[in-house]
Amino acid sequence: MAGTIVFTAANSSLAIPAVEHLLKNYPDYTAVLTVRNAADADVNTQRLRAIIAKQSGAKTSIHELDLADLSAVHAFAGRIADQILQGSLPPLTSLICNAYHWNLSSPVETTGDGYEKSFQVIHVAHAALVLRLLGHFGPNGGRVVLFSSDAHWPGKNGLEKYPAVIPDDLELLVKPGADAPPPDHFGRGFQRYASSKLAVVMWMYALNRYLENDPRLNNITAVAINPGNLSDSRALRTNTPTMLVFMSRFVIQPLRPLLRLLMDPTMRTSAEAGADVVDLATGAVHPDERGYFTLLERDSSAPASMDEGMQRRLWTETLRWARITRDNTAMAGAFA
């Protein structure tokens, strides 16, 4: 039995072709797919269901989950854990932490949990999901796939106006306050997104250290992947200014091959990225490896991400933000 793969934001631009790749090439896996809106009226969930319907005998289920609600994340994790314990789901093989949020056109958004929305969805909620479910992998372990971006490395992404940063006061990540005037929604919104991706990479390194030191969990590996800049991603047309929407439709997509050749070798389609993510999640490529990847190549992450002191501080604060306690995670050493 190949095991269960949990995939967040499974109706995203990258995820839909990734799910198709998974069902076609790894049909023995059970796919637990989360979406923010599971209703048939959601056009992207409709597309996901259509992909699933094409695969006879596909072992899938779709679950509504909003990562901007930590109570919902914990409840979902509890249900998945119960189903594994009861035998209605096979043990986990992988967690694919794909969901994201950014807002490049409006002021700071705060979730019902009181946290800045990009940081909660990208980092805090996924950390909660991972730490709640680590004890439900099979005896052969598996892999946690986290998502980063070249934006985590200052100066590498063309949309950057202000670099990614992990402030000394870590509480500013979850409660940054209003942007200083004059408001620059695009610049500061992208910085919040980039800083969230930097936090993901730092947390991945800390997670791997804890996993390696736990004899019950040391056959679970964590990776953070920069899947590339996706020319056909809906992200470029969601919560973005009109200029970026225009560029996405009439410049970036039609000129992708030329832009990839001349400017950005990581520019590619969502389908290409999705296949790589699934191959990494299943261990078909780079089995048992840990660390940072650009596409499917082992790579260095930003120098700031390698600060072990800050990694430890971020780890500790993330436990608090994510409401992780000794009673709801199998990682006993997480609080050392």
Side-chain angles (χ1 to χ4, degrees):
M1 187 176 294
T4 295
I5 294 178
V6 175
F7 203 137
T8 65
N11 61 355
S12 71
S13 298
L14 178 149
I16 290 175
V19 170
E20 183 172 28
H21 182 74
L22 173 66
L23 299 181
K24 283 183 176 179
N25 295 282
Y26 305 98
D28 292 336
Y29 286 89
T30 298
V32 173
L33 310 173
T34 81
V35 297
R36 191 160 48 86
N37 183 356
D40 287 336
D42 185 287
V43 64
N44 299 308
T45 301
Q46 281 185 15
R47 290 182 59 211
L48 177 63
R49 293 187 195 281
I51 289 294
I52 294 169
K54 293 178 182 178
Q55 307 302 319
S56 176
K59 295 178 286 187
T60 64
S61 57
I62 295 176
H63 304 255
E64 188 161 293
L65 178 63
D66 184 357
L67 276 76
D69 180 348
L70 281 174
S71 294
V73 173
H74 281 274
F76 169 77
R79 290 193 298 272
I80 297 303
D82 287 345
Q83 290 177 45
I84 292 171
L85 290 172
Q86 294 163 7
S88 55
L89 277 178
L92 292 170
T93 296
S94 183
L95 298 171
I96 302 178
C97 300
N98 169 61
Y100 95 104
H101 177 80
W102 72 4
N103 192 332
L104 311 187
S105 59
S106 300
V108 175
E109 293 179 278
T110 302
T111 69
D113 299 299
Y115 297 153
E116 193 279 315
K117 190 172 183 179
S118 293
F119 195 79
Q120 175 166 331
V121 171
I122 292 170
H123 174 56
V124 176
H126 281 132
L129 184 65
V130 169
L131 292 171
R132 285 292 307 269
L133 290 176
L134 281 177
H136 300 282
F137 279 75
N140 296 322
R143 175 163 276 166
V144 175
V145 180
L146 303 167
F147 280 68
S148 187
S149 163
D150 64 358
H152 93 280
W153 190 313
K156 285 203 171 185
N157 190 289
L159 297 181
E160 176 189 303
K161 294 180 70 176
Y162 312 104
V165 63
I166 302 297
D168 188 61
D169 181 358
L170 294 179
E171 196 70 9
L172 291 173
L173 291 169
V174 292
K175 297 180 179 180
D179 292 333
D184 183 354
H185 301 323
F186 184 94
R188 294 304 180 186
F190 189 81
Q191 184 184 42
R192 287 187 283 273
Y193 165 81
S195 298
S196 301
K197 294 297 188 179
L198 175 56
V200 165
V201 178
M202 298 181 78
W203 191 79
M204 176 271 298
Y205 289 123
L207 174 62
N208 273 319
R209 284 197 297 274
Y210 282 102
L211 290 170
E212 289 178 288
N213 289 328
D214 191 322
R216 298 170 303 165
L217 304 175
N218 60 12
N219 55 0
I220 302 172
T221 63
V223 298
I225 183 173
N226 164 20
N229 288 313
L230 309 182
S231 61
D232 56 350
S233 174
R234 297 195 308 271
L236 297 172
R237 305 185 297 277
T238 304
N239 297 332
T240 55
T242 303
M243 176 194 67
L244 190 55
V245 174
F246 178 88
M247 289 181 61
S248 168
R249 293 186 183 278
F250 300 109
V251 179
I252 297 174
Q253 290 190 59
L255 297 181
R256 177 184 54 81
L258 186 61
L259 294 173
R260 181 173 184 170
L261 178 66
L262 298 179
M263 297 179 63
D264 181 359
T266 74
M267 186 167 287
R268 58 181 181 161
T269 66
S270 298
E272 291 174 295
D276 283 355
V277 166
V278 167
D279 291 345
L280 197 58
T282 59
V285 297
H286 300 291
D288 303 319
E289 293 189 42
R290 307 170 187 267
Y292 184 78
F293 288 79
T294 296
L295 312 188
L296 284 184
E297 298 297 323
R298 286 297 303 266
D299 204 355
S300 298
S301 57
S305 71
M306 305 304 294
D307 183 335
E308 290 194 16
M310 188 60 83
Q311 291 168 10
R312 288 192 292 272
R313 290 185 59 209
L314 180 66
W315 176 268
T316 299
E317 290 305 300
T318 298
L319 294 174
R320 178 173 64 86
W321 295 329
R323 305 177 191 167
I324 296 299
T325 69
R326 288 177 172 84
D327 296 326
N328 64 15
T329 182
M331 183 176 274
F335 301 87

